[in-house]
Amino acid sequence: QVQLVESGGGLVQAGGSLSVSCVASGRPFADIILMGWFRQPPGKGRDLVAAIRWSGHDRYYADSVKGRFTISGDSATNTLSLQMNSLKSEDTAVYYCAADLRYGTSWPPGTNDMIYWGKGTPVTVSA
Protein backbone atom coordinates (compact mmCIF):
# COMPACT_ATOMS: atom_id res chain seq x y z
CA GLN A 1 0.00 0.00 0.00
CA VAL A 2 1.07 3.51 -0.78
CA GLN A 3 -0.49 6.55 0.80
CA LEU A 4 -0.31 9.84 -1.09
CA VAL A 5 -1.05 13.21 0.47
CA GLU A 6 -1.11 16.35 -1.64
CA SER A 7 -0.62 19.90 -0.45
CA GLY A 8 0.07 23.36 -1.79
CA GLY A 9 -3.07 24.12 -3.74
CA GLY A 10 -4.74 27.50 -3.50
CA LEU A 11 -5.83 30.64 -5.27
CA VAL A 12 -3.47 32.45 -7.62
CA GLN A 13 -3.85 35.13 -10.24
CA ALA A 14 -3.36 34.39 -13.90
CA GLY A 15 0.28 34.64 -14.83
CA GLY A 16 1.38 33.66 -11.35
CA SER A 17 3.11 30.56 -10.02
CA LEU A 18 2.22 27.82 -7.59
CA SER A 19 3.81 24.57 -6.47
CA VAL A 20 1.92 21.50 -5.33
CA SER A 21 3.54 18.61 -3.50
CA CYS A 22 2.74 14.99 -2.77
CA VAL A 23 4.28 12.97 0.04
CA ALA A 24 4.33 9.21 -0.40
CA SER A 25 4.36 6.78 2.50
CA GLY A 26 3.84 3.09 3.13
CA ARG A 27 6.48 1.82 0.72
CA PRO A 28 10.05 2.92 0.02
CA PHE A 29 10.18 5.60 -2.62
CA ALA A 30 12.48 3.33 -4.64
CA ASP A 31 9.63 0.79 -4.98
CA ILE A 32 7.48 3.31 -6.87
CA ILE A 33 8.01 2.84 -10.61
CA LEU A 34 6.23 5.91 -11.83
CA MET A 35 4.27 8.84 -10.47
CA GLY A 36 2.13 11.47 -12.03
CA TRP A 37 -0.01 14.52 -11.56
CA PHE A 38 -3.51 14.45 -12.95
CA ARG A 39 -6.11 17.19 -12.83
CA GLN A 40 -9.87 17.40 -12.99
CA PRO A 41 -11.45 20.74 -13.90
CA PRO A 42 -14.96 21.44 -12.62
CA GLY A 43 -17.48 19.32 -14.49
CA LYS A 44 -14.87 17.56 -16.59
CA GLY A 45 -12.89 14.35 -16.58
CA ARG A 46 -9.52 13.65 -15.02
CA ASP A 47 -6.49 13.95 -17.31
CA LEU A 48 -2.76 13.48 -17.03
CA VAL A 49 -0.75 16.67 -16.59
CA ALA A 50 2.77 15.33 -16.04
CA ALA A 51 4.43 12.05 -15.18
CA ILE A 52 7.84 10.81 -14.17
CA ARG A 53 9.31 7.35 -14.50
CA TRP A 54 12.24 6.84 -12.21
CA SER A 55 14.08 4.05 -14.04
CA GLY A 56 14.97 6.09 -17.09
CA HIS A 57 14.37 9.48 -15.60
CA ASP A 58 11.61 9.86 -18.17
CA ARG A 59 9.28 12.79 -17.97
CA TYR A 60 6.03 13.45 -19.77
CA TYR A 61 4.06 16.68 -20.05
CA ALA A 62 0.67 17.30 -21.58
CA ASP A 63 0.89 19.72 -24.50
CA SER A 64 -1.18 22.26 -22.59
CA VAL A 65 1.46 22.61 -19.85
CA LYS A 66 4.73 22.10 -21.71
CA GLY A 67 7.19 24.86 -20.94
CA ARG A 68 5.13 26.05 -17.97
CA PHE A 69 5.03 23.10 -15.55
CA THR A 70 7.90 21.06 -14.13
CA ILE A 71 7.58 17.70 -12.37
CA SER A 72 10.27 16.58 -9.97
CA GLY A 73 10.86 14.12 -7.19
CA ASP A 74 12.96 14.01 -4.03
CA SER A 75 13.72 10.54 -2.71
CA ALA A 76 15.14 11.96 0.52
CA THR A 77 11.71 13.29 1.50
CA ASN A 78 9.53 10.90 -0.56
CA THR A 79 8.03 13.94 -2.24
CA LEU A 80 6.74 14.50 -5.75
CA SER A 81 6.34 18.14 -6.77
CA LEU A 82 4.76 20.06 -9.61
CA GLN A 83 5.98 23.60 -10.19
CA MET A 84 3.40 25.56 -12.15
CA ASN A 85 4.35 28.84 -13.80
CA SER A 86 2.50 31.25 -16.08
CA LEU A 87 -0.78 29.89 -14.80
CA LYS A 88 -3.93 30.33 -16.85
CA SER A 89 -7.58 30.23 -15.88
CA GLU A 90 -7.88 26.92 -17.73
CA ASP A 91 -5.41 25.39 -15.25
CA THR A 92 -8.12 25.63 -12.59
CA ALA A 93 -8.76 22.10 -11.35
CA VAL A 94 -8.31 19.66 -8.52
CA TYR A 95 -4.80 18.25 -8.83
CA TYR A 96 -4.27 14.60 -7.92
CA CYS A 97 -1.05 12.74 -7.26
CA ALA A 98 -0.93 9.12 -8.43
CA ALA A 99 1.55 6.27 -8.28
CA ASP A 100 2.13 2.82 -9.72
CA LEU A 101 4.46 0.08 -8.52
CA ARG A 102 4.35 -2.12 -11.60
CA TYR A 103 6.82 -2.42 -14.41
CA GLY A 104 5.41 -2.30 -17.90
CA THR A 105 2.68 0.25 -17.26
CA SER A 106 1.71 2.27 -20.30
CA TRP A 107 3.69 5.40 -21.00
CA PRO A 108 2.42 7.97 -20.70
CA PRO A 109 0.04 6.49 -18.13
CA GLY A 110 -3.69 6.99 -18.16
CA THR A 111 -5.98 7.27 -15.17
CA ASN A 112 -6.73 3.55 -15.34
CA ASP A 113 -3.02 2.72 -15.20
CA MET A 114 -2.42 4.24 -11.77
CA ILE A 115 -3.18 2.21 -8.68
CA TYR A 116 -2.68 4.67 -5.84
CA TRP A 117 -4.26 8.11 -5.62
CA GLY A 118 -4.23 11.02 -3.26
CA LYS A 119 -7.37 12.93 -2.36
CA GLY A 120 -6.40 15.94 -4.42
CA THR A 121 -5.64 19.59 -3.82
CA PRO A 122 -7.61 22.39 -5.50
CA VAL A 123 -5.93 25.02 -7.63
CA THR A 124 -7.90 28.08 -8.69
CA VAL A 125 -6.49 30.56 -11.17
CA SER A 126 -8.35 33.85 -11.28
CA ALA A 127 -8.44 35.86 -14.48
Side-chain angles (χ1 to χ4, degrees):
Q1 289 285 348
V2 176
Q3 292 78 45
L4 303 171
V5 179
E6 302 97 335
S7 63
L11 175 65
V12 63
Q13 288 188 332
S17 298
L18 196 66
S19 180
V20 290
S21 297
C22 169
V23 176
S25 63
R27 292 286 293 267
F29 211 55
D31 287 353
I32 301 175
I33 304 303
L34 71 94
M35 298 186 75
W37 286 99
F38 292 73
R39 68 184 180 187
Q40 186 165 12
K44 296 185 179 180
R46 191 177 300 187
D47 294 316
L48 178 65
V49 175
I52 188 166
R53 189 163 54 182
W54 306 117
S55 61
H57 305 286
D58 301 317
R59 284 170 171 79
Y60 169 85
Y61 295 96
D63 287 343
S64 58
V65 306
K66 278 181 182 176
R68 301 190 297 123
F69 290 12
T70 302
I71 188 172
S72 62
D74 183 347
S75 59
T77 59
N78 290 1
T79 300
L80 180 74
S81 298
L82 184 69
Q83 176 66 41
M84 302 181 289
N85 300 326
S86 302
L87 283 161
K88 306 175 182 179
S89 57
E90 50 263 44
D91 295 318
T92 294
V94 177
Y95 283 72
Y96 296 91
C97 174
D100 191 21
L101 275 61
R102 302 166 298 174
Y103 287 100
T105 299
S106 299
W107 182 260
T111 53
N112 292 334
D113 294 315
M114 309 301 278
I115 296 178
Y116 301 101
W117 291 87
K119 294 183 178 180
T121 184
V123 172
T124 302
V125 183
S126 62

